[in-house]
Structure formats: C-alpha cells, structure tokens
Amino acid sequence: MDVSAALNIQNQTLLLQDPELAEVHSHLLRLDRAEERFARALRDTIDQLLNGEDTGRYDWSTLYKTEKTHAGTLVEIKLQREFKFDDGADMDYRIAGIEVDCKYSQQFGGWMIPPEARGHLCLLVWANDEKSRWSAGLFRVKDDWLNRGNNRDLKLTVKADHRDKIAWLWHRAELPENVLLHMHPADRAEVFAQKSGQARLNELFRRVQGRRIGRNVVRTVAQQKDYMKRVRGNGGARSALRSEGILILGDYESHRTIAAQLRVAQPSEGEFVSVRVARARGHHEPQRTALLDGDYWTVATSEDPVEMAPALPSHKVTA
C-alpha cells in the first residue's frame, strides 16, 4: 500500500505539471477495459514471437536476437490495432490529439528512445514473461532526464534517477500466465513426452488444474492446426478426462459461472481451466458447490475417490 500511495502522489505531481501528459493519461485510463486489453495485447505479442504451434517454444530466452528486437514493433502495432490510435505525424500515435511515441522493453528501464522523440511524450511499455508482470506509463522526453546514446543510431535511455518522471498507467500489473513456462519441470517434461498432440493435451489438463490455460498454450502443446478440436468433447480432452472426474471449463458464461461456484479461476476469453470434481459430501465446504447433472459437485480433494465427472451444460445457442 505504501508503494501504491507513493506512485499515486508521484503521478499527481507529474499530471499537474504537464497538461498534455495529463490529457493522454486520462484518455487511456477511460478506454473500455483498458488494463485487460493492454495485458492481452502484450500476451499475444509474446505468443506470436514464440510461434509455439510451429516451433514448440514457450520460453522468451529461446528467441533469436532478431526476434526479440522485433518485439517493440509488434507491441506498437498490436496496441494501435487494439485501441484504434490515430497515426502520428512525427511520432507513432496521436492520442487525444497529442503526438505519442511507443517504446517497449523486456528489460525494465531498457527503453531505447530515438533523438527525434525529444520534447514529445513516450508511452513506455515493459513486460516480463518470467515474472508475469507488465507496466505502461507516460514519459516526457527531456535531455536532462536521459542517458546519452553510445549506439550507432544514438538512441537514448531514461536515467535510473529520473524514472520517477514516468506517470504510470499500470505498474507491475499481472500478465496472463504462460503456464508452460511456469509449470513444474517434471510435469512439463511428462506433457511433452507424449507422442500425439491429443495425448499431450490430455496430460496438460490432467497436470495443470485450477489455473488458466491460454489458447496459445493449447496450440503449442497440440502443434496441430485443429488444436481447439482436441480440447472439446466428442473425442477431445474433455471426453477423455471425464472418466477421471476432470472438468475442462471454457470461456462460456455457463462455464464461468461453474468456476465461480467452485471458487476456482474463471477462464477469460480463449482460456480453459481444468478441475477434478467429486460429489459434495459432508466433509466438503458447502460454499464451493455447483449443481450439475442433477447433483451437487465440488472440487475434489486427494481423499475423494475418482468418479465420472458430470456433463457440462450446453452452451449452444438454440433458435
């Protein structure tokens, strides 16, 4: 709370001193579901670079240097597409009628600012897949606040002592998790040891329960064009794991309601959450039950026997 309060005070001072910065800052915060959409754009950028469907990669450190260099351009493009920012005349964007450049770094503080950005506002973006954190803030580019560039294109960096001149929009916010990167190495090895894409997905949902699994993780594990089919019923992981008592909840509203009732993570758009369930009995918490298939179910404990999971409600739209 002390850190948050200090950042708020710092932000207020910067906003009062710079009306343009305040206008852009306010505009970005007013955008619909801005934080969620910003985080998703960063998640999608990293996933696009990893290209797991074709390469099987899930770790930023395995990218080529040229791919990492391209990340900044992709972030700039994805944010513009997501929020429909106008093109700038001199900088990347025009936001609320004000020229704004966009700079991304995977290393906090490593933003490379071109000399032509002097005097302008920069949207500084950082994301780290290992830490599952990201930040975005606005910075007025001033000579006194910059380190001199020693590289060939004379790009500049923000002096560490002047990072307090960044008006944060979101600071160290949660980045949607890269489950493959953060799961236990032994579990990950077992997933990738399976011979077929279907078997790998079954093992993934069996071993990673109660956590959001994004579409790109499914794509990387399956390494097949019809990867979504491998999750669903009618022969997919949902059918295969039902006999083990495991539900695979998707981003349908009915599934999200079940997740909320069971008090497990609710899948967002393009995400899945698997969970082993058991019929609710006296030793279970009554507050963690969902009515499915005519009976009450809850999250299974290690002491609960394995039983056939209930059928999930239909999510198809009927005429």
Side-chain angles (χ1 to χ4, degrees), residues 16 67 96 107-108 161 210 214 261 291 294:
L16 288 171
E67 291 176 309
Q107 177 184 352
F108 189 81
D161 289 347
Q261 291 169 341
L291 181 61

Side-chain angles (χ1 to χ4, degrees), residues 202-218:
N202 293 351
E203 197 65 28
L204 174 71
F205 287 113
R206 186 179 287 125
R207 289 177 177 268
V208 181
Q209 295 189 30
R211 291 160 70 181
R212 296 180 181 91
I213 296 176
R215 187 171 296 177
N216 187 68
V217 171
V218 173

Side-chain angles (χ1 to χ4, degrees), residues 140-206:
R140 175 70 71 181
V141 181
K142 294 185 178 181
D143 279 343
D144 292 346
W145 298 348
L146 302 172
N147 293 305
R148 299 300 173 198
N150 295 318
N151 38 57
R152 284 182 297 178
D153 50 10
L154 300 178
K155 287 189 175 179
L156 314 165
T157 57
V158 181
K159 289 180 179 178
D161 289 347
H162 289 289
R163 290 178 193 162
D164 62 355
K165 307 301 190 301
I166 301 170
W168 294 112
L169 294 149
W170 304 281
H171 191 48
R172 298 192 178 275
E174 183 178 352
L175 183 71
E177 185 187 22
N178 180 343
V179 168
L180 287 175
L181 183 63
H182 293 113
M183 66 190 293
H184 193 283
D187 288 333
R188 184 170 58 229
E190 194 59 37
V191 168
F192 282 106
Q194 307 304 311
K195 300 300 183 183
S196 69
Q198 185 63 70
R200 289 193 294 273
L201 280 178
N202 293 351
E203 197 65 28
L204 174 71
F205 287 113
R206 186 179 287 125

Side-chain angles (χ1 to χ4, degrees), residues 106-136:
Q106 201 264 344
Q107 177 184 352
F108 189 81
W111 306 287
M112 304 298 289
I113 300 173
E116 59 269 23
R118 284 188 178 97
H120 289 283
L121 292 177
C122 268
L123 175 62
L124 302 180
V125 184
W126 165 80
N128 186 297
D129 214 11
E130 185 69 39
K131 297 178 179 179
S132 297
R133 289 289 179 267
W134 66 277
S135 297

